[in-house]
Amino acid sequence: MTPAGTGSAATAAVAASATVAAPAKKMIAKLVIDNESGSAWNCQFNPLNTSDNWYTNGYLYEPLYFVNSLQSNPDGSPKTTPWLATAYSWNADQTQVTFTIRQGVKWSDGQAFTADDVVYTFNALKNDAGADVQGLWTGASAKLTTVAKDTTDPNKVVFTFDKPAGIMFYYMADQQPIVPQHIFGATGVDQTKLETLPNSTPVGTGPLVMSVCEGTNMKFLRNTTYWQSTPDNTVPKVEEVDYPAFLSNDSANLVLHDSQAQWGGQFIQNIQSYYLDVSPNHHIWQPATANVTMYLNIAKDPLLAQKAVRQAISFAINRNDASNLGETGQELPSSQTGIVLPTFKGWYDSSIDTTVPGGDAAKAGQVLGAAGFTKGSDGIYADSKGKRLSFTIKSVQGFSDWDAAIQTIIASAKKAGIELKQQDEDNGTLVADLAAGNFQIAYNAAIGGPTPFYELRNDMDSGSFSNYGKYSNPAVDTLIAQYLKSTSITDQKAIVKQMAQIMNDDVPVIPVTEAADWFQYDTTSIDGWPTADNPYCQPAPWNIPDNMVLLTSIWGK
Amino acid sequence: MRFIVRRMGLFLLTLWVALTLNFIIPRLMPGDAALAMWSHIHNATPQQLKALEAMFGTANQNPILAYIAYVGNCLTLNFGVTTDQVPVMTKIMQGLPWTLGLVGVSTVIAFSLGTLVGMYGAWRRGSWSDNLISPLLFIVTTFPVFFLGLVILLIFGVELQWFPQNHPYSNPPGLTLESAADIIYHAVLPGLTLVLTASGGWIYTMRNNMIATLSEDYVRMARAKGLSSWRIMLNYSARNAILPNLTGFAMQVGFILGGSILIEYIYSYQGLGYLFYQGTESRDLPLQQALFLLYTMAVLVCVLVADLLTAWLDPRTRDA
């Protein structure tokens, strides 16, 4: 993050689209979102509740700032756009940040949005761990100690942390939606269980207002008093948004295929023939900010505890096959350094990336031979005691693309004398097994963030929950501590480079393919979608709060 | 009277055992509601898991206290809220009409169709219709229901597009003819699947029973009297042959509430079966327990009714 940021126009995010000599932008009568929800809508719109927030935040409730993981400033830090705040500034050691709150914003019930709402929102989370979804008051790296209005300027809010908190900016400014004090703080609302408030008639500041909700569809209308609107420029340029509930992937895909929905966030198996070839107006752009990763149980499996075995697997598996055959090219092959490309190319150093793309059976054999493994008569390597290199990969039932990718992994590992077997479990069971360390190898998406540091840390920090294999390396922990204290993007890049080097050389986990944000869009009557050339936000309908940026950026042709 | 008391005692004992199993089994599944919900969040962070654990809170409570609270809740029908904060009874009442409608009507159709075909097949056994229809429906019955459901969906829903592929309705249901037509239109494919897979069993038993009764003396007597074939078939033979099917049907009614989880899943049909699948996947204990109880009660009550019905119809069974 840059130490200071100021915002001029709220619509800076769409500035890039203005470079084209634009025809008059029309209103879009209706936009249909297509994304498998897996269940009927429960018609509750509580932005503090984890099961509601992915269709509530951004659409109805907004954060202070928008952090774009896909666009960097020249120094490599992610680009930020002022939203409900107009500016922020850190103190020197980044333990305190002051936000200037935007004037003239109204809640959709007509009440004015003020700094009081911001102070209320953050302080409410303090007393309610269930609503503090971002862990702002409990975070291990840094946590809030006070949030209060500036004593001299009632329009500013000061956030104080116990430690340098640059890494918390993304969670507090981008991921945390602001809720209205006059509703959430009203008498009779249990302030220790805010996340259980049904909030079925939501009042937000967002570009949309909820109109009609039933199990099969949510209908939103344009927020006619939206703060970005000016007399000669209506924002958003969408009159109505429909969000039907799809219980299965196939039924959601069919609606996209039939051009009945314009904004999709779906995995489609044969996307070329099923979606792209159907209409010249069907397009996709599927950027990634994290990797789909093989987690290795280093703490419990004596073979995987050996670096040579981990390296051999990483050399053996062919990431190009996993990408092309498994993911039909929709997810790019990963780098063993853990840096997602091209998203974070500013953080990548090809000289330390010695593994990509893998599929190198000879190299794997060399590593294993040097470590004293010999090939048995069955073609599988074993150690001096005869213990074979045979592992089970656990994956998620029903993720057909992952299944296909794992089949290519099994095939390429076999060529290198390593036996892998696949076992699928339902999502909840797999996560429980990951948390309990009940696996040998597990295939799951890593947890990323707006810079590569977030994913590297989640995978390698000895104290991280998502370091499922319990990899522990004091050198990594020191680097992480340094990063958290640092306020300079140059230092941070140097630290990430060292972490990426350890990731490549020590193989704590094996990134296989990048985890794409599925995104399909229809240009028949709508323009201004985010693209690879203009990646103004993460594009899937469930990317919160990026969805609000997309909604306020598209227009009718 | 003693028979009824004994039956009621057995009923209560079975209910208690079922309730206790309902308590234990969901808790043996790995994972909990917080983890299950966390696993479905895009780009989930470890902080979010902590928040979810704080929200659900009761995951690690004392099992004995939890059991006592659970039995109390079962008795008062107070099941609390689901993991997404909706009252359990609200969710159940949303799903109930769809399952009753789809599975209930299908069960009645399958029973009627199966009984009629079985009856007619036995009456005309050896005829081309018996040789064709009875074995055909019986073969279809042996298909796994999910397989038949997918095949029917593929042919009539995806390829021909004659019928909708999912959901119980496309427009919000209302008390209009249009809405009724919409609902029936959506129910055709799942209903057809259920009827095809269920009717074969009824055919089989009805046909066998009917063949047995046809060789009874009173049927020969009726023929000798020169009664019309229809009258012999319906009043003399079928009337006796249908008795075992009737008690079977009474028991089957109990399974209607369970819906057909696979069919409701394939057709995204939002009844109780789909709800149960969701409750299991999201480790939603309150929802799972309430549905379990509902299913158990329905089956037990129907079995009890079938028992009493049989005892009333056939005095010989009362000593059993």
Side-chain angles (χ1 to χ4, degrees):
Chain A
M1 300 300 144
T2 44
T6 47
S8 46
T11 44
V14 287
S17 58
T19 52
V20 188
K25 293 177 180 178
K26 294 198 190 111
M27 294 299 289
I28 301 159
K30 187 163 110 175
L31 167 71
V32 180
I33 305 179
D34 186 294
N35 174 216
E36 180 206 352
S37 53
S39 63
W41 298 119
N42 67 15
C43 295
Q44 303 190 351
F45 298 89
N46 188 335
L48 305 179
N49 180 306
T50 310
S51 60
D52 304 349
N53 64 13
W54 62 276
Y55 59 80
T56 305
N57 294 0
Y59 298 110
L60 305 172
Y61 293 88
E62 299 177 312
L64 295 174
Y65 254 75
F66 167 58
V67 178
N68 187 0
S69 303
L70 299 177
Q71 251 179 347
S72 305
N73 294 314
D75 64 2
S77 62
K79 210 167 189 168
T80 60
T81 307
W83 214 261
L84 288 183
T86 52
Y88 69 90
S89 65
W90 284 103
N91 65 354
D93 63 352
Q94 293 201 354
T95 53
Q96 199 173 64
V97 58
T98 305
F99 281 87
T100 310
I101 306 305
R102 185 178 295 280
Q103 301 282 293
V105 177
K106 277 194 163 54
W107 294 103
S108 55
D109 62 355
Q111 297 231 22
F113 159 83
T114 66
D116 288 323
D117 291 308
V118 178
V119 172
Y120 166 75
T121 299
F122 285 92
N123 281 298
L125 306 179
K126 184 184 183 177
N127 308 316
D128 184 356
D132 187 7
V133 174
Q134 308 305 330
L136 300 175
W137 294 89
T138 56
S141 11
K143 55 187 174 212
L144 285 169
T145 54
T146 56
V147 176
K149 276 206 267 188
D150 189 286
T151 44
T152 54
D153 184 349
N155 224 5
K156 288 185 173 172
V157 179
V158 183
F159 296 75
T160 313
F161 291 88
D162 64 338
K163 280 182 234 167
I167 191 165
M168 298 302 284
F169 182 85
Y170 171 66
Y171 298 115
M172 61 175 291
D174 174 278
Q175 291 288 298
Q176 180 60 50
I178 307 300
V179 298
Q181 178 173 19
H182 66 278
I183 305 228
F184 280 76
T187 41
V189 178
D190 182 353
Q191 295 298 308
T192 62
K193 279 278 167 203
L194 285 171
E195 71 279 12
T196 62
L197 192 72
N199 201 30
S200 28
T201 47
V203 171
T205 59
L208 301 178
V209 290
M210 207 275 292
S211 168
V212 183
C213 179
E214 58 196 30
T216 52
N217 188 38
M218 293 190 290
K219 181 171 140 185
F220 299 98
L221 296 177
R222 177 169 68 86
N223 179 353
T224 50
T225 60
Y226 191 52
W227 55 272
Q228 289 189 27
S229 272
T230 58
D232 39 318
N233 184 31
T234 306
V235 180
K237 293 203 170 358
V238 187
E239 292 293 353
E240 178 185 330
V241 172
D242 277 19
Y243 203 151
F246 295 103
L247 307 192
S248 74
N249 209 43
D250 295 341
S251 56
N253 287 351
L254 189 75
V255 170
L256 280 172
H257 168 90
D258 292 347
S259 308
Q260 287 164 9
Q262 295 80 41
W263 181 10
Q266 282 293 108
F267 172 71
I268 303 176
Q269 184 80 44
N270 299 308
I271 197 156
Q272 189 65 38
S273 59
Y274 191 82
Y275 183 71
L276 292 173
D277 291 349
V278 172
S279 157
N281 293 318
H282 285 183
H283 305 276
I284 57 170
W285 171 52
Q286 308 192 135
T289 52
N291 292 294
V292 181
T293 299
M294 284 165 73
Y295 287 93
L296 313 171
N297 202 334
I298 292 167
K300 290 197 183 161
D301 192 285
L303 287 173
L304 292 171
Q306 301 174 44
K307 184 166 120 182
V309 175
R310 303 199 297 269
Q311 281 180 329
I313 298 175
S314 181
F315 280 126
I317 61 166
N318 191 329
R319 293 172 183 78
N320 282 343
D321 282 356
S323 163
N324 292 330
L325 307 176
E327 302 288 346
T328 58
Q330 294 188 65
E331 295 191 333
L332 296 172
S334 293
S335 157
Q336 179 59 49
T337 60
I339 310 278
V340 175
L341 296 171
T343 307
F344 299 129
K345 53 184 182 294
W347 299 73
Y348 177 70
D349 181 349
S350 60
S351 69
I352 59 170
D353 191 354
T354 56
T355 320
V356 161
D360 191 342
K363 192 83 190 278
Q366 273 172 28
V367 174
L368 288 174
F373 288 84
T374 48
K375 217 176 213 177
S377 55
D378 57 355
I380 303 298
Y381 279 95
D383 68 6
S384 53
K385 295 183 199 114
K387 221 160 172 234
R388 296 168 73 247
L389 290 187
S390 171
F391 307 100
T392 301
I393 306 184
K394 284 186 176 175
S395 176
V396 181
Q397 207 160 19
F399 286 17
S400 52
D401 55 327
W402 286 12
D403 284 342
I406 290 172
Q407 286 311 309
T408 70
I409 292 170
I410 291 174
S412 51
K414 195 173 175 211
K415 276 188 205 146
I418 299 166
E419 184 178 65
L420 299 176
K421 286 170 288 194
Q422 186 184 359
Q423 182 192 340
D424 278 3
E425 300 181 329
D426 84 82
N427 214 339
T429 307
L430 180 69
V431 174
D433 281 347
L434 283 170
N438 179 22
F439 65 95
Q440 280 185 303
I441 300 177
Y443 200 73
N444 209 354
I447 302 166
T451 75
F453 172 76
Y454 292 74
E455 179 174 351
L456 290 170
R457 180 197 186 183
N458 283 328
D459 285 346
M460 297 200 284
D461 185 342
S462 61
S464 156
F465 166 81
S466 51
N467 174 1
Y468 303 112
K470 300 277 170 280
Y471 172 75
S472 176
N473 183 341
V476 171
D477 293 350
T478 310
L479 286 169
I480 290 170
Q482 280 173 11
Y483 184 102
L484 293 176
K485 262 186 254 158
S486 90
T487 55
S488 131
I489 187 82
T490 322
D491 293 350
Q492 290 174 355
K493 281 171 116 168
I495 294 167
V496 163
K497 188 180 163 185
Q498 292 179 64
M499 291 173 76
Q501 174 118 40
I502 294 174
M503 182 68 129
N504 182 73
D505 297 350
D506 210 24
V507 194
V509 299
I510 303 176
V512 181
T513 68
E514 298 185 347
D517 291 338
W518 309 126
F519 173 47
Q520 298 83 28
Y521 62 102
D522 189 325
T523 54
T524 309
S525 57
I526 301 175
D527 215 336
W529 299 101
T531 59
D533 295 331
N534 182 17
Y536 62 77
C537 69
Q538 285 184 268
W542 34 261
N543 284 127
I544 50 176
D546 301 55
N547 50 5
M548 70 189 178
V549 186
L550 188 144
L551 275 175
T552 51
S553 303
I554 54 174
W555 67 85
K557 285 213 246 185
Chain B
M1 200 56 218
R2 233 184 86 220
F3 168 79
I4 293 177
V5 171
R6 216 165 54 210
R7 283 283 145 176
M8 290 304 291
L10 193 67
F11 170 79
L12 290 176
L13 182 72
T14 320
L15 183 61
W16 175 74
V17 170
L19 281 183
T20 307
L21 285 175
N22 289 351
F23 178 80
I24 297 169
I25 292 173
R27 283 174 169 74
L28 295 180
M29 290 172 71
D32 56 35
L35 273 170
M37 190 175 281
W38 189 75
S39 74
H40 285 282
I41 302 172
H42 297 285
N43 305 325
T45 60
Q47 295 93 307
Q48 285 175 324
L49 182 61
K50 274 195 190 149
L52 285 170
E53 279 165 352
M55 176 169 136
F56 294 127
T58 51
N60 298 319
Q61 98 190 78
N62 179 333
I64 295 170
L65 289 181
Y67 180 71
I68 293 169
Y70 161 75
V71 173
N73 290 344
C74 287
L75 294 178
T76 56
L77 296 181
N78 169 20
F79 297 103
V81 294
T82 61
T83 51
D84 59 351
Q85 308 301 328
V86 180
V88 169
M89 288 316 281
T90 309
K91 280 229 164 174
I92 290 183
M93 292 320 285
Q94 279 168 357
L96 188 65
W98 300 108
T99 293
L100 275 184
L102 175 70
V103 189
V105 171
S106 306
T107 305
V108 171
I109 293 178
F111 173 75
S112 317
L113 182 79
T115 305
L116 284 176
V117 171
M119 179 183 79
Y120 193 72
W123 182 251
R124 296 265 173 166
R125 65 179 187 276
S127 72
W128 70 267
S129 59
D130 178 45
N131 283 343
L132 185 72
I133 297 173
S134 306
L136 199 69
L137 274 174
F138 196 67
I139 289 168
V140 171
T141 300
T142 60
F143 289 162
V145 66
F146 65 87
F147 172 73
L148 193 68
L150 284 174
V151 169
I152 288 178
L153 177 68
L154 189 68
I155 296 174
F156 299 103
V158 179
E159 290 300 322
L160 299 173
Q161 301 217 358
W162 289 353
F163 294 98
Q165 301 161 355
N166 47 42
H167 295 326
Y169 50 83
S170 45
N171 296 310
L175 283 174
T176 60
L177 273 179
E178 225 178 11
S179 179
D182 183 46
I183 290 168
I184 292 171
Y185 185 47
H186 281 74
V188 169
L189 292 189
L192 180 69
T193 313
L194 288 170
V195 167
L196 283 179
T197 48
S199 54
W202 301 120
I203 295 177
Y204 193 64
T205 43
M206 185 62 190
R207 190 170 173 277
N208 286 358
N209 293 335
M210 184 84 174
I211 287 169
T213 53
L214 279 175
S215 58
E216 294 283 346
D217 288 342
Y218 59 83
V219 175
R220 188 171 304 156
M221 174 68 185
R223 284 186 203 272
K225 281 203 299 195
L227 296 175
S228 75
S229 331
W230 278 103
R231 202 162 155 205
I232 298 171
M233 181 170 80
L234 292 175
N235 286 10
Y236 282 74
S237 180
R239 204 171 151 180
N240 285 296
I242 207 170
L243 282 179
N245 260 15
L246 266 186
T247 51
F249 181 70
M251 286 170 70
Q252 196 63 40
V253 168
F255 291 100
I256 290 175
L257 284 188
S260 179
I261 296 176
L262 290 169
I263 288 301
E264 289 189 7
Y265 178 68
I266 289 170
Y267 291 97
S268 291
Y269 205 85
Q270 292 148 43
L272 294 183
Y274 193 82
L275 196 60
F276 185 72
Y277 161 78
Q278 278 191 313
T280 309
E281 207 203 29
S282 59
R283 307 292 191 275
D284 194 331
L285 286 180
L287 184 59
Q288 273 177 289
Q289 283 170 348
L291 285 170
F292 261 138
L293 179 72
L294 193 70
Y295 300 161
T296 315
M297 283 299 286
V299 172
L300 286 180
V301 167
C302 287
V303 168
L304 185 70
V305 169
D307 267 357
L308 298 179
L309 198 67
T310 315
W312 177 61
L313 287 172
D314 188 345
R316 287 172 300 178
T317 57
R318 285 173 211 176
D319 301 328

